[in-house]
Amino acid sequence: LSTPDGQVVVDDATPGEALRTPQIDASVSEVADHPAVRAALTERMRGLREHPDVLGVVADGRDAGSVIFPDAGLKVFVEVSLLVRAARRFAQQQAAGIDGSLQDAQAALATRDGRDAQRGEAAPQVHAGDKVLHNDKLSVEEAIRRLLSWTHAVHGIDQEAT
């Protein structure tokens, strides 16, 4: 589940930075690759669109646009270099008081990328019609502006009016 402000809720608690520990990172792909887990999560995520109170879904995941929601009106593939992703993850870990090094973060991400690349149709890849957000050098505000621009274009919203 998640809260209206987007926080993840597990067993009535918000795990926050605990989701970004090296231990969690090391097990994500292994758990996500289990066929029963993938099937259950795919079904549950697709079910979100059927809920009467849901006006739209923003899904984050390496196969969210290719496997889970292949018919989505807007699919964004975020590209960030390994070094930049590692630096961001290391900064998150430091802020949360988690021990480690930049090299550890980079090695963990490289290992996960390697496993994910072997996932066949669920491997991270750009597909026809996807928007690509090159996010190495964008600020959070710049990335949000670009995403909003693409969202407005898909829904025919005049950006001057918003």
Side-chain angles (χ1 to χ4, degrees):
L1 297 174
S2 66
T3 63
D5 65 353
Q7 291 188 40
V8 174
V9 178
V10 178
D11 294 330
D12 296 322
T14 53
E17 292 302 319
L19 293 175
R20 298 291 182 203
T21 64
Q23 295 81 7
I24 295 293
D25 281 347
S27 18
V28 165
S29 292
E30 183 179 331
V31 172
D33 282 345
H34 192 281
V37 171
R38 292 203 65 71
L41 287 174
T42 298
E43 179 182 336
R44 188 147 195 194
M45 289 183 70
R46 286 180 178 160
L48 290 173
R49 295 198 298 191
E50 307 305 319
H51 195 282
D53 295 330
V54 173
L55 300 177
V57 175
V58 175
D60 173 25
R62 293 183 176 207
D63 65 351
S66 59
V67 175
I68 298 169
F69 298 116
D71 61 339
L74 174 63
K75 294 186 275 182
V76 178
F77 190 90
V78 180
E79 285 188 344
V80 185
S81 70
L82 178 61
L83 185 57
V84 170
R85 287 187 297 131
R88 290 174 181 171
R89 178 61 52 87
F90 178 58
Q92 286 175 328
Q93 291 172 341
Q94 282 188 311
I98 298 169
D99 288 332
S101 69
L102 176 59
Q103 293 76 19
D104 292 341
Q106 187 169 347
L109 288 168
T111 298
R112 181 177 173 193
D113 288 351
R115 278 194 309 261
D116 288 353
Q118 303 303 314
R119 281 212 242 136
E121 82 168 357
Q125 55 191 308
V126 179
H127 292 87
D130 290 357
K131 295 285 191 184
V132 179
L133 181 69
H134 301 282
N135 199 14
D136 272 6
K137 297 179 182 178
L138 296 177
S139 69
V140 171
E141 293 78 15
E142 290 168 327
I144 289 171
R145 275 196 300 274
R146 186 148 318 149
L147 293 168
L148 286 173
S149 171
W150 292 339
T151 302
H152 290 158
V154 165
H155 293 289
I157 298 170
D158 180 8
Q159 292 183 46
E160 297 298 320
T162 59

